[in-house]
Amino acid sequence: MHFQDIVSEHPVRFFVAEIIREKIFLQSRNEVPYACQVNVVNYKTRPNAKDFIQVEIVVEKDSQKIILIGKGGKALKILATTAPLDIEYFLQKKVFLEIGVKVKENWRQDEGLLKYYGYGGQIRAL
């Protein structure tokens, strides 16, 4: 199944974030994922070049950030290598993925951030 075959009310950014979130789950197991928020900060479609996708991963604690980055940046490099493969398969287009990790303490208890990240609305069945 390809991107063009999917009927959804969600934008492409949603699916890109979900692919990255899946890779975080697979890579870090139970250590970090539930405190992660993946935001597509910038997405530039470029007809004659790779699409540019800038992502920030938000966690609640420095210790979670350290786990996501890994020793010598190894874990983040693995994520930055594996995620684009699935994103490219989904989009049927090459991408350049830039990933950053930020700490926003207790973001899951901040109503303003929850709404900003899209948790304030209702999910509707089609």
Side-chain angles (χ1 to χ4, degrees):
M1 181 174 356
H2 299 299
F3 164 64
Q4 294 82 359
D5 300 326
I6 296 173
V7 176
S8 174
E9 64 183 25
H10 294 294
V12 171
R13 288 173 177 238
F14 169 82
F15 291 103
V16 168
E18 286 302 301
I19 290 169
I20 294 168
R21 188 183 331 277
E22 174 196 37
K23 296 301 176 197
I24 293 169
F25 271 83
L26 294 173
Q27 195 171 315
S28 61
R29 310 269 183 227
N30 294 326
E31 296 179 64
V32 175
Y34 298 103
C36 280
Q37 169 63 29
V38 179
N39 301 317
V40 177
V41 177
N42 195 354
Y43 188 116
K44 291 183 183 172
T45 304
R46 302 188 284 194
N48 299 319
K50 293 179 178 184
D51 284 1
F52 174 77
I53 303 171
Q54 183 183 17
V55 172
E56 73 174 6
I57 301 168
V58 179
V59 294
E60 293 185 308
K61 301 174 185 174
D62 283 324
S63 60
Q64 295 164 336
K65 180 178 179 180
I66 290 167
I67 291 168
L68 281 180
I69 293 173
K71 188 173 184 175
K74 184 177 179 183
L76 191 58
K77 287 176 190 170
I78 292 170
L79 181 62
T81 302
T82 59
L85 299 175
D86 285 358
I87 293 168
E88 289 172 351
Y89 179 77
F90 175 72
L91 296 174
Q92 293 295 292
K93 185 166 189 344
K94 294 286 187 188
V95 300
F96 176 82
L97 181 63
E98 181 179 288
I99 302 174
V101 183
K102 290 185 175 181
V103 176
K104 291 189 180 175
E105 290 188 19
N106 301 315
W107 71 263
R108 293 185 297 170
Q109 284 76 46
D110 184 322
E111 191 173 324
L113 281 177
L114 287 173
K115 285 182 181 177
Y116 179 75
Y117 293 152
Y119 294 108
Q122 291 184 318
I123 298 173
R124 297 176 304 177
L126 295 178

